[in-house]
Amino acid sequence: MHRTMKGRAMGSKYRTFYVILFLTIFLFLLVAVALQLSSYISPLGNDAPVEGHSLNKERSDVVVSQTSSRANATVQNCTFHTCFEVYHCGCNGQSRITVYVYPETKYTDEDGRSLLAGPSREFKEILQTVRQSVYHALDPSKACLFIPPLDLLNQNSISLERTARILASLPHWNSGTNHLLFNMLPGSMPDYNATLDVDRDRALLAGGGFSTWTYRRTYDISIPVFNPFTRSLTLSPKSASPVDRQWLAVSSQTGLHPEYLRDLEVFSDDLEFLRLDHCSDFNVSERCDKNMARYSYPHILQKAAFCLVIRSNRLGQMALSDCLMAGSIPVIIADSYILPFSEVLDWKRAAIVIDEDDLSKVMPILRNISSERVELMRRQVEFFWSSYFNSINAITLTTLQIINDRVFPYAARKYEDWNELPYRPGVQNPLFLPLIPAKTLGFTAVILTYDRQESLFQIIQQVALSPSLSKVLVVWNNQVKPPPPASQWPKISKPLKVVQTRHNRLSNRFYPYDEIETEAILALDDDILMLTVDELEFGYEVWREFSDRLVGFPSRLHLWDESTKMWKYESQWTSEISMVLTGAAFYHKYYNYLYTNAMPGNIKSWVDEHMNCEDIAFNFLVANTTGKAPIKVTPRQKFKCPECSNSIMLSADLDDHMVIRSECINNFAKIYGVMPLKSVEFRADPVLYKESFPSELKWFSDVGSL
């Protein structure tokens, strides 16, 4: 017993000894490693600059003599595909450009005199934003884009000749290839050209004030003119409703041309219009009316639904940024002006553009805009401001993102990403849809076509006029004849996609294409040319209220025939409907998935084989899913075909055709085991549709007759 206790004590003693020895050796190794690493750490500690990255890196001096070569004249016909080199743009293995910022440099002449003024605060912020962004590259040999250390934001503060020589002296200039220059105030007295006058060869220009004559599409980037006087202001949020605004429109720019002032004099007695100019002391934070009453600026803009942005010496105006900041809808009155970031932003959502010749009509034009549209545009204005315009940081990153999207189009942000407000779903429908989908999401027009190119192009142009349109998707169902080249398609303001199918099947129109990104789909045949914009907008509004239904224009009915004991397809106009034809109808994209993947029995293959009844099959599907009838909108019952010699129904209702479609109803009902179609004595028309009110008081005045 004594030996056992002694052995345990000795074991405990040695165990303690080995633990202490192990800890000693471990601490010794840590100290050795620390001493070894210390030889690689700069004695300056955290303040030591990182090579090529720190703003505190010692500035280099470069002498540019009078005889130094200049940059060549600007190449006016540059496009992305002719002047931009993409070969170094994938070096990081990611779908992201790399941007090299030249180190800060002092440029002097032979006598040591500086050739450039010091950089502005705004230009320093641009460089700092790039250096802190995910795009920044330390190694110029791996850079896709180069930004010179030259502050060209204000042309009045630079020498054109000296700047051209400095640009040519840059070590990676290479005729300006892939070099990005920033300028907000181009031109100088007396001409005030709409682009930077510096010779810059093939360099890209992010400019504030391009015209259609100076803007090189797909190459330059139109940016806003930042207002440094309002950078520290924070305006309190205001209601989007025009009812809560004291004025309908305000004009607050100073130094306007006398011709424009004469046009504005027309509204001098209009109580809904406020005209302001500078005060006697030229205080930038105030504006005065004709009676010299003072108003805080830009706060006064919050009290108007619209804010006029009129051409001045330069096309680009700080007034546009001020309007956006105040949440006032800008009214652009500057012919040929390229709006900021218009390559990706849909300005029809956030601004009104009026010809300069129509300035004297601006108030009647604005009064014709509905309060609902004003509210939607106000929200879009706030979204644009907070996302792309509210700081130099936002402007810089938006510029780089646009270039990145050009270089990597397969990874580019979509139209919806740039323009749609962040969607926040609220209470959910027990089925699967939001109770009322957001109107700003819009709808996708899916047009099925085979060979009617002329009418197809006409319907694309017609549907593109609808403000709620988000995208047009053409389903090209002809495998023999390819779609026309891109140059022949209509030029519209919304995305236009063409999908060529592998087989000529009617079911192709209901395929869940990845290109359909909106909740709402407007299905159209390629000969439905008679629908007006008001009819499309009203149909979309009704669908939003009943988003689980099929909402359309031409309607049909199924009837039970006692004599044959079978179902009968009826196209005559009656008091009931049970189907709406998908040649012109709104529905939720979820039903495309059901039609393609969950259609009962052989209905889908039967439709494809017989090339008929796809619309009846679709009505069966929706009615069986929801247990509800479709909704017919507007009184239209007949649709004239422009290519036919006589007026006929949308679905050429000949005797044989009626027999086939009656057969479809009976076959489909047998497969379902029940008749899912529901009849309803209901039609949706706009309020005041039949009332004898002036058209100005009706929201949807252009609704077709029977």
Side-chain angles (χ1 to χ4, degrees), residues 22-42:
F22 173 79
L23 291 176
T24 303
I25 295 173
F26 181 74
L27 291 174
F28 175 81
L29 291 175
L30 285 179
V31 173
V33 171
L35 292 174
Q36 182 71 16
L37 289 176
S38 66
S39 62
Y40 295 99
I41 299 177
S42 171

PDB file of all heavy atoms in Angstrom, residues 22-42:
ATOM      1  N   PHE A  22       7.180  21.052 -21.550  1.00  0.00           N
ATOM      2  CA  PHE A  22       6.508  21.241 -22.844  1.00  0.00           C
ATOM      3  C   PHE A  22       6.092  22.704 -23.041  1.00  0.00           C
ATOM      4  O   PHE A  22       6.282  23.289 -24.119  1.00  0.00           O
ATOM      5  CB  PHE A  22       5.284  20.329 -22.919  1.00  0.00           C
ATOM      6  CG  PHE A  22       4.432  20.562 -24.139  1.00  0.00           C
ATOM      7  CD1 PHE A  22       4.795  20.051 -25.375  1.00  0.00           C
ATOM      8  CD2 PHE A  22       3.275  21.341 -24.048  1.00  0.00           C
ATOM      9  CE1 PHE A  22       4.032  20.289 -26.489  1.00  0.00           C
ATOM     10  CE2 PHE A  22       2.503  21.574 -25.158  1.00  0.00           C
ATOM     11  CZ  PHE A  22       2.860  21.056 -26.385  1.00  0.00           C
ATOM     12  N   LEU A  23       5.547  23.302 -21.981  1.00  0.00           N
ATOM     13  CA  LEU A  23       5.135  24.705 -22.086  1.00  0.00           C
ATOM     14  C   LEU A  23       6.324  25.616 -22.311  1.00  0.00           C
ATOM     15  O   LEU A  23       6.255  26.594 -23.066  1.00  0.00           O
ATOM     16  CB  LEU A  23       4.381  25.120 -20.819  1.00  0.00           C
ATOM     17  CG  LEU A  23       2.991  24.481 -20.628  1.00  0.00           C
ATOM     18  CD1 LEU A  23       2.409  24.905 -19.280  1.00  0.00           C
ATOM     19  CD2 LEU A  23       2.053  24.894 -21.754  1.00  0.00           C
ATOM     20  N   THR A  24       7.461  25.302 -21.680  1.00  0.00           N
ATOM     21  CA  THR A  24       8.664  26.116 -21.853  1.00  0.00           C
ATOM     22  C   THR A  24       9.158  26.060 -23.290  1.00  0.00           C
ATOM     23  O   THR A  24       9.508  27.079 -23.911  1.00  0.00           O
ATOM     24  CB  THR A  24       9.768  25.649 -20.900  1.00  0.00           C
ATOM     25  OG1 THR A  24       9.277  25.707 -19.551  1.00  0.00           O
ATOM     26  CG2 THR A  24      10.999  26.512 -21.024  1.00  0.00           C
ATOM     27  N   ILE A  25       9.212  24.831 -23.841  1.00  0.00           N
ATOM     28  CA  ILE A  25       9.661  24.678 -25.230  1.00  0.00           C
ATOM     29  C   ILE A  25       8.704  25.400 -26.184  1.00  0.00           C
ATOM     30  O   ILE A  25       9.125  26.066 -27.139  1.00  0.00           O
ATOM     31  CB  ILE A  25       9.768  23.181 -25.584  1.00  0.00           C
ATOM     32  CG1 ILE A  25      10.863  22.511 -24.729  1.00  0.00           C
ATOM     33  CG2 ILE A  25      10.043  22.991 -27.058  1.00  0.00           C
ATOM     34  CD1 ILE A  25      10.924  21.004 -24.899  1.00  0.00           C
ATOM     35  N   PHE A  26       7.402  25.291 -25.920  1.00  0.00           N
ATOM     36  CA  PHE A  26       6.409  25.931 -26.789  1.00  0.00           C
ATOM     37  C   PHE A  26       6.558  27.447 -26.781  1.00  0.00           C
ATOM     38  O   PHE A  26       6.519  28.110 -27.832  1.00  0.00           O
ATOM     39  CB  PHE A  26       5.006  25.530 -26.328  1.00  0.00           C
ATOM     40  CG  PHE A  26       3.899  26.115 -27.152  1.00  0.00           C
ATOM     41  CD1 PHE A  26       3.630  25.644 -28.428  1.00  0.00           C
ATOM     42  CD2 PHE A  26       3.133  27.164 -26.655  1.00  0.00           C
ATOM     43  CE1 PHE A  26       2.623  26.189 -29.185  1.00  0.00           C
ATOM     44  CE2 PHE A  26       2.117  27.715 -27.408  1.00  0.00           C
ATOM     45  CZ  PHE A  26       1.854  27.236 -28.676  1.00  0.00           C
ATOM     46  N   LEU A  27       6.749  28.024 -25.593  1.00  0.00           N
ATOM     47  CA  LEU A  27       6.936  29.473 -25.500  1.00  0.00           C
ATOM     48  C   LEU A  27       8.221  29.906 -26.188  1.00  0.00           C
ATOM     49  O   LEU A  27       8.279  30.953 -26.841  1.00  0.00           O
ATOM     50  CB  LEU A  27       6.945  29.904 -24.027  1.00  0.00           C
ATOM     51  CG  LEU A  27       5.608  29.792 -23.291  1.00  0.00           C
ATOM     52  CD1 LEU A  27       5.789  30.103 -21.800  1.00  0.00           C
ATOM     53  CD2 LEU A  27       4.594  30.758 -23.902  1.00  0.00           C
ATOM     54  N   PHE A  28       9.255  29.104 -26.081  1.00  0.00           N
ATOM     55  CA  PHE A  28      10.522  29.424 -26.737  1.00  0.00           C
ATOM     56  C   PHE A  28      10.347  29.463 -28.256  1.00  0.00           C
ATOM     57  O   PHE A  28      10.862  30.353 -28.941  1.00  0.00           O
ATOM     58  CB  PHE A  28      11.580  28.383 -26.343  1.00  0.00           C
ATOM     59  CG  PHE A  28      12.892  28.548 -27.069  1.00  0.00           C
ATOM     60  CD1 PHE A  28      13.827  29.491 -26.645  1.00  0.00           C
ATOM     61  CD2 PHE A  28      13.185  27.774 -28.199  1.00  0.00           C
ATOM     62  CE1 PHE A  28      15.029  29.664 -27.317  1.00  0.00           C
ATOM     63  CE2 PHE A  28      14.383  27.952 -28.865  1.00  0.00           C
ATOM     64  CZ  PHE A  28      15.311  28.891 -28.439  1.00  0.00           C
ATOM     65  N   LEU A  29       9.591  28.496 -28.782  1.00  0.00           N
ATOM     66  CA  LEU A  29       9.343  28.474 -30.231  1.00  0.00           C
ATOM     67  C   LEU A  29       8.542  29.700 -30.679  1.00  0.00           C
ATOM     68  O   LEU A  29       8.795  30.276 -31.736  1.00  0.00           O
ATOM     69  CB  LEU A  29       8.606  27.187 -30.611  1.00  0.00           C
ATOM     70  CG  LEU A  29       9.416  25.886 -30.483  1.00  0.00           C
ATOM     71  CD1 LEU A  29       8.530  24.674 -30.765  1.00  0.00           C
ATOM     72  CD2 LEU A  29      10.600  25.904 -31.452  1.00  0.00           C
ATOM     73  N   LEU A  30       7.562  30.098 -29.881  1.00  0.00           N
ATOM     74  CA  LEU A  30       6.773  31.281 -30.231  1.00  0.00           C
ATOM     75  C   LEU A  30       7.631  32.526 -30.299  1.00  0.00           C
ATOM     76  O   LEU A  30       7.511  33.357 -31.206  1.00  0.00           O
ATOM     77  CB  LEU A  30       5.647  31.482 -29.218  1.00  0.00           C
ATOM     78  CG  LEU A  30       4.442  30.529 -29.311  1.00  0.00           C
ATOM     79  CD1 LEU A  30       3.428  30.863 -28.210  1.00  0.00           C
ATOM     80  CD2 LEU A  30       3.779  30.651 -30.681  1.00  0.00           C
ATOM     81  N   VAL A  31       8.521  32.699 -29.332  1.00  0.00           N
ATOM     82  CA  VAL A  31       9.411  33.860 -29.321  1.00  0.00           C
ATOM     83  C   VAL A  31      10.325  33.845 -30.529  1.00  0.00           C
ATOM     84  O   VAL A  31      10.567  34.868 -31.183  1.00  0.00           O
ATOM     85  CB  VAL A  31      10.225  33.891 -28.012  1.00  0.00           C
ATOM     86  CG1 VAL A  31      11.283  34.991 -28.065  1.00  0.00           C
ATOM     87  CG2 VAL A  31       9.311  34.101 -26.814  1.00  0.00           C
ATOM     88  N   ALA A  32      10.834  32.639 -30.885  1.00  0.00           N
ATOM     89  CA  ALA A  32      11.733  32.536 -32.039  1.00  0.00           C
ATOM     90  C   ALA A  32      11.022  32.921 -33.327  1.00  0.00           C
ATOM     91  O   ALA A  32      11.565  33.632 -34.175  1.00  0.00           O
ATOM     92  CB  ALA A  32      12.289  31.110 -32.125  1.00  0.00           C
ATOM     93  N   VAL A  33       9.798  32.431 -33.467  1.00  0.00           N
ATOM     94  CA  VAL A  33       9.023  32.774 -34.675  1.00  0.00           C
ATOM     95  C   VAL A  33       8.745  34.259 -34.725  1.00  0.00           C
ATOM     96  O   VAL A  33       8.840  34.909 -35.773  1.00  0.00           O
ATOM     97  CB  VAL A  33       7.708  31.959 -34.704  1.00  0.00           C
ATOM     98  CG1 VAL A  33       6.796  32.465 -35.821  1.00  0.00           C
ATOM     99  CG2 VAL A  33       8.002  30.478 -34.891  1.00  0.00           C
ATOM    100  N   ALA A  34       8.387  34.848 -33.597  1.00  0.00           N
ATOM    101  CA  ALA A  34       8.104  36.283 -33.560  1.00  0.00           C
ATOM    102  C   ALA A  34       9.323  37.097 -33.955  1.00  0.00           C
ATOM    103  O   ALA A  34       9.232  38.078 -34.688  1.00  0.00           O
ATOM    104  CB  ALA A  34       7.618  36.672 -32.163  1.00  0.00           C
ATOM    105  N   LEU A  35      10.502  36.700 -33.439  1.00  0.00           N
ATOM    106  CA  LEU A  35      11.730  37.412 -33.794  1.00  0.00           C
ATOM    107  C   LEU A  35      12.051  37.267 -35.274  1.00  0.00           C
ATOM    108  O   LEU A  35      12.541  38.190 -35.922  1.00  0.00           O
ATOM    109  CB  LEU A  35      12.890  36.883 -32.938  1.00  0.00           C
ATOM    110  CG  LEU A  35      12.815  37.215 -31.443  1.00  0.00           C
ATOM    111  CD1 LEU A  35      13.955  36.511 -30.693  1.00  0.00           C
ATOM    112  CD2 LEU A  35      12.881  38.722 -31.228  1.00  0.00           C
ATOM    113  N   GLN A  36      11.761  36.068 -35.810  1.00  0.00           N
ATOM    114  CA  GLN A  36      12.041  35.853 -37.235  1.00  0.00           C
ATOM    115  C   GLN A  36      11.146  36.735 -38.104  1.00  0.00           C
ATOM    116  O   GLN A  36      11.583  37.327 -39.085  1.00  0.00           O
ATOM    117  CB  GLN A  36      11.807  34.369 -37.574  1.00  0.00           C
ATOM    118  CG  GLN A  36      12.117  33.996 -39.020  1.00  0.00           C
ATOM    119  CD  GLN A  36      13.601  34.010 -39.300  1.00  0.00           C
ATOM    120  OE1 GLN A  36      14.402  34.013 -38.360  1.00  0.00           O
ATOM    121  NE2 GLN A  36      13.970  34.056 -40.564  1.00  0.00           N
ATOM    122  N   LEU A  37       9.855  36.825 -37.722  1.00  0.00           N
ATOM    123  CA  LEU A  37       8.918  37.630 -38.519  1.00  0.00           C
ATOM    124  C   LEU A  37       9.189  39.109 -38.389  1.00  0.00           C
ATOM    125  O   LEU A  37       8.914  39.887 -39.296  1.00  0.00           O
ATOM    126  CB  LEU A  37       7.473  37.341 -38.074  1.00  0.00           C
ATOM    127  CG  LEU A  37       6.912  35.956 -38.444  1.00  0.00           C
ATOM    128  CD1 LEU A  37       5.515  35.791 -37.852  1.00  0.00           C
ATOM    129  CD2 LEU A  37       6.868  35.790 -39.959  1.00  0.00           C
ATOM    130  N   SER A  38       9.722  39.530 -37.261  1.00  0.00           N
ATOM    131  CA  SER A  38       9.923  40.965 -37.044  1.00  0.00           C
ATOM    132  C   SER A  38      10.874  41.568 -38.049  1.00  0.00           C
ATOM    133  O   SER A  38      10.838  42.754 -38.332  1.00  0.00           O
ATOM    134  CB  SER A  38      10.435  41.210 -35.620  1.00  0.00           C
ATOM    135  OG  SER A  38      11.732  40.640 -35.468  1.00  0.00           O
ATOM    136  N   SER A  39      11.761  40.746 -38.624  1.00  0.00           N
ATOM    137  CA  SER A  39      12.711  41.277 -39.605  1.00  0.00           C
ATOM    138  C   SER A  39      12.036  41.653 -40.900  1.00  0.00           C
ATOM    139  O   SER A  39      12.588  42.371 -41.719  1.00  0.00           O
ATOM    140  CB  SER A  39      13.817  40.240 -39.872  1.00  0.00           C
ATOM    141  OG  SER A  39      13.256  39.051 -40.424  1.00  0.00           O
ATOM    142  N   TYR A  40      10.773  41.119 -41.109  1.00  0.00           N
ATOM    143  CA  TYR A  40      10.055  41.427 -42.354  1.00  0.00           C
ATOM    144  C   TYR A  40       9.040  42.537 -42.173  1.00  0.00           C
ATOM    145  O   TYR A  40       8.394  42.949 -43.112  1.00  0.00           O
ATOM    146  CB  TYR A  40       9.318  40.165 -42.858  1.00  0.00           C
ATOM    147  CG  TYR A  40      10.256  39.053 -43.265  1.00  0.00           C
ATOM    148  CD1 TYR A  40      10.523  37.995 -42.382  1.00  0.00           C
ATOM    149  CD2 TYR A  40      10.880  39.068 -44.502  1.00  0.00           C
ATOM    150  CE1 TYR A  40      11.391  36.983 -42.745  1.00  0.00           C
ATOM    151  CE2 TYR A  40      11.748  38.045 -44.871  1.00  0.00           C
ATOM    152  CZ  TYR A  40      11.991  37.004 -43.985  1.00  0.00           C
ATOM    153  OH  TYR A  40      12.836  35.994 -44.341  1.00  0.00           O
ATOM    154  N   ILE A  41       8.838  42.979 -40.929  1.00  0.00           N
ATOM    155  CA  ILE A  41       7.852  44.015 -40.662  1.00  0.00           C
ATOM    156  C   ILE A  41       8.525  45.371 -40.672  1.00  0.00           C
ATOM    157  O   ILE A  41       9.579  45.571 -40.087  1.00  0.00           O
ATOM    158  CB  ILE A  41       7.161  43.765 -39.304  1.00  0.00           C
ATOM    159  CG1 ILE A  41       6.438  42.408 -39.344  1.00  0.00           C
ATOM    160  CG2 ILE A  41       6.195  44.876 -38.965  1.00  0.00           C
ATOM    161  CD1 ILE A  41       5.786  42.024 -38.037  1.00  0.00           C
ATOM    162  N   SER A  42       7.851  46.327 -41.357  1.00  0.00           N
ATOM    163  CA  SER A  42       8.425  47.665 -41.459  1.00  0.00           C
ATOM    164  C   SER A  42       8.516  48.314 -40.088  1.00  0.00           C
ATOM    165  O   SER A  42       7.604  48.208 -39.277  1.00  0.00           O
ATOM    166  CB  SER A  42       7.543  48.523 -42.382  1.00  0.00           C
ATOM    167  OG  SER A  42       7.945  49.855 -42.326  1.00  0.00           O
TER     168      SER A  42
END
